[in-house]
Amino acid sequence: MKKLIKRISAVEIPVSNLEGSINWYVKVLGLEVQYRGSNDAMLTFNEIGVPGIFLCQTKDIQRLQFVNTSNDITHSVIDFYTANLEEFRNYLIEQHVEVGKLNMNLDHGGFGFKDPDGNLLSACNAIQRGQV
């Protein structure tokens, strides 16, 4: 079969306050505004091959997360990569971001954190095949 999909273009995140969320994602995660509409915005890391973050203002109260029914762990839908988990976690704490416990395995680790709307996000240091 012909390979028609090459990568993820963007990840869509529900937000209740577009302006506040834009400010948070730019300040805390270092994204740049590529496009801003009245109810949505595209933010990017300005890196080749890296998905954008599409913020969509909504009154829907559902947020990004799910429970793994095999172990009752709540998972994020998005994992952001960082080479230095401890430094990034400490930075988020300084920014008054709600963060979870740092979990380290033999070859990778991570932790969860929340955006202003309560969307559960994660940071990890795992590199997937083809990412470098």
Side-chain angles (χ1 to χ4, degrees), residues 70-109:
S70 67
N71 60 19
D72 288 330
I73 293 175
T74 302
H75 288 266
S76 67
V77 177
I78 305 167
D79 291 343
F80 292 97
Y81 172 79
T82 181
N84 192 325
L85 286 167
E86 288 186 63
E87 183 178 356
F88 183 55
R89 187 173 181 277
N90 290 335
Y91 165 76
L92 291 176
I93 291 169
E94 290 170 5
Q95 300 301 311
H96 307 286
V97 173
E98 182 182 340
V99 299
K101 178 183 169 197
L102 178 58
N103 298 305
M104 295 300 292
N105 296 320
L106 292 176
D107 58 348
H108 66 279

Side-chain angles (χ1 to χ4, degrees), residues 38-55:
S38 58
N39 295 305
D40 53 28
M42 179 59 75
L43 308 180
T44 70
F45 287 98
N46 201 18
E47 296 285 336
I48 295 173
V50 177
I53 301 292
F54 184 74
L55 303 178

Side-chain angles (χ1 to χ4, degrees), residues 6-132:
K6 303 282 185 184
R7 66 185 164 276
I8 295 172
S9 174
V11 177
E12 300 187 21
I13 300 178
V15 299
S16 63
N17 177 316
L18 183 62
E19 187 64 34
S21 293
I22 290 171
N23 292 338
W24 188 87
Y25 279 86
V26 167
K27 177 186 174 198
V28 174
L29 298 184
L31 281 92
E32 299 175 11
V33 178
Q34 176 180 315
Y35 158 83
R36 181 162 192 262
S38 58
N39 295 305
D40 53 28
M42 179 59 75
L43 308 180
T44 70
F45 287 98
N46 201 18
E47 296 285 336
I48 295 173
V50 177
I53 301 292
F54 184 74
L55 303 178
C56 183
Q57 187 164 301
T58 180
K59 293 179 183 175
D60 188 337
I61 60 170
Q62 292 183 13
R63 294 298 174 240
L64 300 181
Q65 66 184 39
F66 66 94
V67 176
N68 181 331
T69 54
S70 67
N71 60 19
D72 288 330
I73 293 175
T74 302
H75 288 266
S76 67
V77 177
I78 305 167
D79 291 343
F80 292 97
Y81 172 79
T82 181
N84 192 325
L85 286 167
E86 288 186 63
E87 183 178 356
F88 183 55
R89 187 173 181 277
N90 290 335
Y91 165 76
L92 291 176
I93 291 169
E94 290 170 5
Q95 300 301 311
H96 307 286
V97 173
E98 182 182 340
V99 299
K101 178 183 169 197
L102 178 58
N103 298 305
M104 295 300 292
N105 296 320
L106 292 176
D107 58 348
H108 66 279
F111 65 91
F113 63 98
K114 291 187 177 181
D115 77 357
D117 277 290
N119 289 304
L120 182 59
L121 308 169
S122 291
C124 73
N125 62 356
I127 298 173
Q128 309 307 325
R129 185 177 57 216
Q131 289 183 329
V132 292

